[in-house]
Amino acid sequence: MLKVIRDNSKIVLAVTCVVLVMAWLVVPSLESIFHIRQGARGGNTSDPVKVTWRGGQLTGSQLRQLKYVHNRAVEFVVEILRETTRRQGTPRAPGYMFVNMQSGQIGISPYNDDGHLVETLILAQRAKELGVVVNDETVKNFLIKLSDYTLKEGELDGLMHKSMPESQVDISPGMIIEHLKTEILAQQARLMLQAGVESFTPGDITQMGTRPMRMLFRDHGLVGPGEMWDAYERLNRKLKIEAYPLNVADFVSKVKEEPKEADLQKLFEEGRGRLPNPAFPEPGFRQPHKVAFQYVKADLAPFLEAAKKEITDEQIAKAYEESKAKGEFKVVEPPPMNPVKPVDPANPADPAKPADPAKPEENPGEKPSEKPADKPEAPAKEPEAPKKEEPKAEPKAEPKKEEPKAEPKKNEGSSLPRDIQLVNFQNEPKKDETKKGEPKKEEPKKEEPKKEDKPAETKPAETKPADPAADPAKPADPAATPTDPAKPVDPAAKPEDKPAEKEVKFKPLDEVKDEIRTTLARPIASDRRQLVINALVPEVNAYARQFNRWKAYQDREKQLKAEGAPPSKSPSIEKPAPLDLSKTIGDSGLKVETIPLVDQFEVQDMIDEPQADGTNKKVPKYDIGVNGFRFFEQNSATFPQVAFGERESLYQAETLPFALEQKQFLGGITTIYIYWRTDEQPSKELDFKAAHDNVVAAWKMEEALKLAKAAAEKLAAEAAKGKDLKTLVDKPEQIITPPAFSWFTVGAAQFARPSLSEVPGVRFAGQDFFLPIFDLQVGQAGVALDQPHAIVYAVKLLGEEGVSVDDRAQFLAKGTDPELVDAAWQSQLYLQSELYSELFKKYNVKWAPPAKGEEAE
């Protein structure tokens, strides 16, 4: 035997090397992939099972491994897309969708969170059950087609290695190929499952010209005419309703039956990993992340009132005079009551249109008859004849009074300002004066400028072609020739005619005294408030260093005790005394508000505040929770979005709406908030015993919902018989009658997409509210629910508007547009959500609670 081995030592050595390579590289990869897909390895104390479903399971380490492989696969596909674009190709593959350079679908799921990774595995399993087969050739064809055939197989291999930088996690090309098989299987399952919901196939959408965020459907991707008409109605049909709200919580006391333990257990399993959200009907029994806060609301008002008392009358008088010198506090006269009339679209060039048709009849004298007769013969000489007659009339006062009256007619039918006239219209107002006879003769002295203006004789020649074209019945008015485009009054010709400058009037000091006092006091108040903030923030941060040092010591001691280790020998650290800011705040009028442990929804709670008239008004329970927000470079975020990050330092002071470093913006803000955390409770899953009370409450709410719906249906049945809803309810004052509303509304911003309309009086108007209401006919009544199913409405349809036979004809002529496509998508998304929810229920997806002492991520 030894002789045989010795004689074949080279072969034996080669085979041994191959076996070792397979053991080190290939086997672990295949093992991890098969375990991920089939759940062959059970959990243990060091690597517990995180999620199970019908046909598979994943441990914590397998989830992490899957995430690493998925990230590399996504980077590989992105490299293919980049190279394809660089080679001027157009990526094409099932699941690929280009919207713009910043967003789109790359052909496989880009998400790497645990939920989406498990979703992909379940969809891949579903595709196999439906008979889909994916092999290495399928992956190669998918990638080559994605590259628009610009890449060859060898080039794909180079891009794969480029997408796998060196890291602590060993990932091989074979693992990426196996993962792409799973992704393609999942993609096929998505296409098949959504075929009855979506009216387009991913990959059938391209960018539409220069309008990003709008997409053009090809012929085989068009939304069906019936669906487009539904979308048109949802955008344009408006309903007028009256609705009576029934609060589900009021029916809980009427639930007499006690829940069975099996029903409670089932309800708990469905919602054990779900966070409670007041905007949705599904109950959640996971303990939400909660934070306790303290905050100071630094309003400018108390500082401003104190500063105003220090402003003297002398300072106000001085500021008043300085403001007058700058042109402030002028008395603004109301604008004239004669609006500029628009040009008549039927005859925009006819200057006779705006003239009063009655006036030529009032003066059927010489001038109207002379002008049409003389004008064709010698239009250029006509101005001279009136010049001889003009000295006859001397009255100056009358024309001055009449000029402003006739002036509005200068531009009637013109969109130009009254002090600007087109050349063709310059003579028209003067003609109106000639109709009055005497006023026309009042301007003899305006001939003197004409003597200087001897080129004025050429003016009629210049206007000759324009005048006959404008109106052959109206010759050029000789008295109007002095008014040329340089119409500003000629001071050299006649200073007496120069309009007298109006005396500028200012508001009296008494009228603006309070305004000036506030203006002078504001910078003083702002500076004083900033001094308080500058002293308060460092004091809180100094306390934070002491408190967090003590907390770190306590956490270390707890950990040692849990591990059974002896206590640390380092000196103990005493807990600092409670934070006291009374000295820093002083008598400024500010105070420290406290918020107990709350989640991001509870901090936005509203409460009823009694009013003087006996009614209640909804006000924020915690002012900062509703009114606090943070400005960033191009957007803003609400207080819950900013302040509820997990595991942040306690007693670290922050300011809203700007960070303290941005002091230059804080001065002009009316309200500044300074807040800090005082405690935190991380999010975690609860067992059935810990969540029992919440489960019972959720079960009773579900039973109360049935009772509320029955009561609403009874009211709706009576209202549908023609009875007035107000006569059927105990509290008719609670009936809401919102303005007419549509199902979807398109925002005012450019490229805004349709969204569900807001209905005044209904806090959460979702699909369960709009769907039953828009199925009603006028006079009918029905039942609708808000989105969290907390309120049931008995609704009667009073009227509708917006869709008629003409609208249908217009729709058929117009065809598809982006708004209609977007509205159709909104309905599809709702159906998709329901579809996936049912699928995961079928596969019985369950996320395991965290191990003892382990907090859920």
Side-chain angles (χ1 to χ4, degrees):
M1 184 66 182
L2 292 174
K3 184 176 183 302
V4 173
I5 294 174
R6 191 183 311 113
D7 293 341
N8 298 281
S9 58
K10 292 183 179 179
I11 298 174
V12 171
L13 182 60
V15 170
T16 303
C17 289
V18 171
V19 171
L20 289 174
V21 169
M22 292 290 290
W24 289 341
L25 298 178
V26 179
V27 174
S29 302
L30 295 176
E31 182 186 24
S32 64
I33 292 170
F34 283 119
H35 283 324
I36 287 174
R37 190 168 296 113
Q38 300 171 2
R41 182 191 299 171
N44 53 54
T45 54
S46 60
D47 189 18
V49 173
K50 299 289 289 184
V51 60
T52 61
W53 66 92
R54 179 175 60 79
Q57 67 179 31
L58 288 175
T59 65
S61 64
Q62 288 172 338
L63 262 176
R64 289 190 292 272
Q65 176 81 358
L66 179 59
K67 186 175 294 188
Y68 292 136
V69 175
H70 179 73
N71 289 342
R72 297 286 75 80
V74 168
E75 185 58 34
F76 173 44
V77 172
V78 170
E79 285 292 340
I80 293 175
L81 296 175
R82 288 173 184 157
E83 185 63 22
T84 302
T85 304
R86 193 182 68 79
R87 298 187 183 195
Q88 299 182 345
T90 302
R92 306 171 189 277
Y96 174 78
M97 184 192 302
F98 178 83
V99 180
N100 57 32
M101 294 304 293
Q102 285 73 40
S103 61
Q105 297 295 331
I106 62 173
I108 66 173
S109 172
Y111 309 109
N112 68 350
D113 59 280
D114 292 351
H116 278 94
L117 293 175
V118 172
E119 174 188 300
T120 297
L121 295 178
I122 293 173
L123 289 172
Q125 181 175 324
R126 179 61 178 163
K128 284 186 174 182
E129 292 171 359
L130 293 172
V132 179
V133 177
V134 174
N135 52 29
D136 292 345
E137 192 68 19
T138 308
V139 175
K140 184 179 73 173
N141 290 338
F142 171 83
L143 297 176
I144 290 177
K145 186 176 180 182
L146 185 66
S147 72
D148 199 18
Y149 301 94
T150 61
L151 296 173
K152 297 179 181 178
E153 190 172 346
E155 294 172 312
L156 291 175
D157 186 61
L159 291 176
M160 179 177 288
H161 285 87
K162 183 180 179 181
S163 67
M164 294 190 301
E166 293 184 6
S167 65
Q168 295 179 348
V169 181
D170 185 19
I171 299 174
S172 66
M175 296 169 71
I176 291 183
I177 295 298
E178 289 298 318
H179 184 72
L180 287 175
K181 290 179 184 178
T182 303
E183 289 286 351
I184 294 173
L185 282 167
Q187 186 63 261
Q188 292 301 311
R190 287 188 183 97
L191 296 179
M192 289 187 290
L193 289 170
Q194 294 173 194
V197 177
E198 290 184 345
S199 20
F200 67 93
T201 301
D204 292 340
I205 302 177
T206 55
Q207 191 176 18
M208 180 174 168
T210 58
R211 298 182 66 189
M213 303 306 295
R214 290 298 189 207
M215 288 168 278
L216 176 66
F217 287 77
R218 300 184 182 182
D219 295 340
H220 55 296
L222 288 172
V223 177
E227 293 178 30
M228 293 305 296
W229 174 248
D230 288 342
Y232 183 88
E233 281 194 317
R234 292 174 181 182
L235 279 169
N236 296 281
R237 183 183 173 211
K238 293 186 176 181
L239 304 187
K240 180 69 177 176
I241 66 167
E242 61 176 2
Y244 182 70
L246 297 168
N247 198 322
V248 175
D250 294 340
F251 290 82
V252 171
S253 60
K254 300 178 182 180
V255 178
K256 304 302 180 184
E257 186 181 354
E258 289 299 320
K260 296 177 182 178
E261 201 67 14
D263 294 336
L264 294 178
Q265 186 70 44
K266 180 182 177 182
L267 186 61
F268 170 72
E269 290 299 330
E270 291 175 355
R272 69 182 304 169
R274 190 188 301 131
L275 287 169
N277 189 328
F280 294 97
E282 297 83 10
F285 306 116
R286 182 186 176 101
Q287 177 180 285
H289 174 226
K290 294 191 174 187
V291 182
F293 298 94
Q294 284 184 333
Y295 70 95
V296 173
K297 182 181 178 181
D299 270 331
L300 190 63
F303 296 92
L304 190 59
E305 289 304 315
K308 284 167 69 174
K309 295 175 182 177
E310 301 172 10
I311 304 299
T312 65
D313 291 342
E314 291 75 13
Q315 290 175 304
I316 294 174
K318 181 181 178 182
Y320 175 68
E321 294 301 329
E322 290 174 353
S323 299
K324 284 173 60 178
K326 295 176 184 176
E328 299 175 13
F329 302 133
K330 288 182 180 179
V331 176
V332 180
E333 295 183 0
M337 298 301 292
N338 299 317
V340 177
K341 295 182 181 177
V343 178
D344 183 0
N347 193 6
D350 184 8
K353 188 84 176 173
D356 190 344
K359 287 187 179 175
E361 296 175 6
E362 290 172 7
N363 272 354
E366 312 150 8
K367 289 185 182 177
S369 57
E370 287 171 7
K371 286 180 183 176
D374 296 344
K375 189 169 183 177
E377 296 174 10
K381 297 179 182 179
E382 281 178 5
E384 299 176 6
K387 281 181 188 176
K388 299 173 183 177
E389 296 175 349
E390 279 172 3
K392 295 179 183 178
E394 291 178 359
K396 299 175 185 177
E398 291 179 11
K400 284 181 184 175
K401 293 176 184 176
E402 291 176 2
E403 275 179 10
K405 294 179 184 176
E407 200 169 327
K409 295 181 182 177
K410 289 179 183 177
N411 285 54
E412 278 187 328
S414 171
S415 60
L416 296 175
R418 298 187 183 281
D419 57 346
I420 300 174
Q421 298 182 41
L422 295 176
V423 174
N424 288 353
F425 289 3
Q426 283 181 1
N427 296 332
E428 181 188 334
K430 297 293 179 183
K431 182 182 176 188
D432 290 340
E433 292 175 5
T434 60
K435 293 176 188 175
K436 297 181 181 179
E438 296 288 337
K440 171 91 174 130
K441 300 175 184 177
E442 64 173 34
E443 290 185 50
K445 295 187 179 178
K446 288 189 178 178
E447 290 176 13
E448 294 174 12
K450 283 190 179 179
K451 292 175 185 176
E452 300 172 7
D453 255 12
K454 290 192 177 182
E457 295 185 39
T458 60
K459 283 185 183 178
E462 290 172 7
T463 55
K464 241 192 235 177
D467 288 342
D471 190 351
K474 293 188 179 182
D477 191 14
T481 51
T483 38
D484 58 9
K487 187 167 181 184
V489 180
D490 191 350
K494 190 169 184 182
E496 303 124 5
D497 288 349
K498 185 177 179 180
E501 291 185 5
K502 293 183 180 179
E503 181 183 355
V504 179
K505 295 182 180 180
F506 293 93
K507 296 177 183 178
L509 177 58
D510 290 342
E511 185 178 333
V512 297
K513 194 171 186 178
D514 288 341
E515 181 182 345
I516 296 173
R517 188 187 300 276
T518 301
T519 302
L520 295 176
R522 182 174 290 275
I524 300 172
S526 181
D527 290 344
R528 288 178 180 174
R529 180 180 63 175
Q530 192 61 45
L531 288 174
V532 175
I533 295 174
N534 291 345
L536 189 148
V537 171
E539 185 173 350
V540 175
N541 290 340
Y543 183 84
R545 288 189 288 272
Q546 300 175 31
F547 183 89
N548 288 316
R549 186 165 170 261
W550 166 81
K551 189 174 184 298
Y553 174 81
Q554 293 295 319
D555 292 343
R556 187 169 63 253
E557 292 297 316
K558 286 180 182 178
Q559 184 178 359
L560 291 173
K561 186 177 180 180
E563 295 172 354
S568 63
K569 296 180 180 180
S570 58
S572 62
I573 300 175
E574 293 186 5
K575 184 178 181 179
L579 179 62
D580 182 10
L581 298 173
S582 57
K583 292 181 181 178
T584 307
I585 291 176
D587 59 355
S588 61
L590 306 184
K591 64 177 182 177
V592 178
E593 305 283 354
T594 299
I595 302 177
L597 282 169
V598 292
D599 61 36
Q600 58 180 323
F601 303 111
E602 293 170 336
V603 79
Q604 301 177 76
D605 281 349
M606 305 292 285
I607 58 175
D608 290 326
E609 183 180 84
Q611 302 296 301
D613 58 0
T615 61
N616 289 329
K617 179 183 177 183
K618 291 287 185 183
V619 297
K621 187 175 183 180
Y622 310 109
D623 183 82
I624 191 173
V626 175
N627 299 320
F629 61 95
R630 166 66 63 80
F631 272 127
F632 294 99
E633 289 183 0
Q634 296 178 344
N635 53 19
S636 63
T638 62
F639 176 76
Q641 292 171 329
V642 171
F644 276 81
E646 292 207 22
R647 294 180 176 83
E648 293 185 5
S649 298
L650 300 180
Y651 291 95
Q652 188 69 39
E654 301 285 348
T655 56
L656 302 176
F658 292 99
L660 189 62
E661 305 83 62
Q662 299 173 298
K663 293 180 182 178
Q664 67 274 23
F665 300 117
L666 293 175
I669 304 296
T670 302
T671 302
I672 298 173
Y673 294 96
I674 307 97
Y675 74 91
W676 55 92
R677 296 166 169 238
T678 57
D679 197 4
E680 181 179 24
Q681 177 182 282
S683 172
K684 65 178 182 180
E685 287 189 5
L686 304 174
D687 57 23
F688 179 67
K689 183 178 179 181
H692 186 271
D693 292 344
N694 292 337
V695 179
V696 172
W699 182 87
K700 288 191 174 182
M701 281 293 288
E702 289 186 352
E703 295 301 310
L705 176 62
K706 297 175 185 177
L707 298 177
K709 287 174 70 175
E713 287 168 357
K714 185 177 179 180
L715 287 174
E718 293 296 319
K721 294 177 183 178
K723 294 183 179 179
D724 190 349
L725 194 58
K726 293 178 181 178
T727 64
L728 301 173
V729 298
D730 298 331
K731 299 178 180 178
E733 68 277 3
Q734 292 185 358
I735 292 178
I736 61 171
T737 54
F741 58 88
S742 58
W743 191 327
F744 286 105
T745 300
V746 180
Q750 190 180 20
F751 308 131
R753 307 188 73 168
S755 60
L756 291 176
S757 299
E758 293 185 6
V759 182
V762 182
R763 187 181 178 193
F764 296 108
Q767 294 288 352
D768 292 336
F769 182 83
F770 290 103
L771 190 59
I773 291 177
F774 275 76
D775 279 344
L776 297 175
Q777 300 295 324
V778 175
Q780 291 183 342
V783 174
L785 286 76
D786 66 354
Q787 187 166 284
H789 293 183
I791 299 178
V792 181
Y793 294 90
V795 182
K796 185 172 183 178
L797 183 58
L798 303 177
E800 63 177 274
E801 58 187 48
V803 177
S804 63
V805 176
D806 294 338
D807 293 320
R808 192 176 183 88
Q810 182 182 359
F811 162 77
L812 293 172
K814 182 180 181 182
T816 303
D817 64 13
E819 285 75 21
L820 290 181
V821 171
D822 285 343
W825 272 7
Q826 298 296 327
S827 301
Q828 292 172 0
L829 290 174
Y830 176 72
L831 294 176
Q832 288 177 29
S833 174
E834 294 294 313
L835 177 67
Y836 281 97
S837 177
E838 290 300 318
L839 176 66
F840 296 140
K841 284 181 182 177
K842 179 179 179 180
Y843 278 85
N844 195 24
V845 181
K846 293 182 180 179
W847 291 87
K852 199 169 186 179
E854 176 191 11
E855 290 181 353
E857 295 179 3

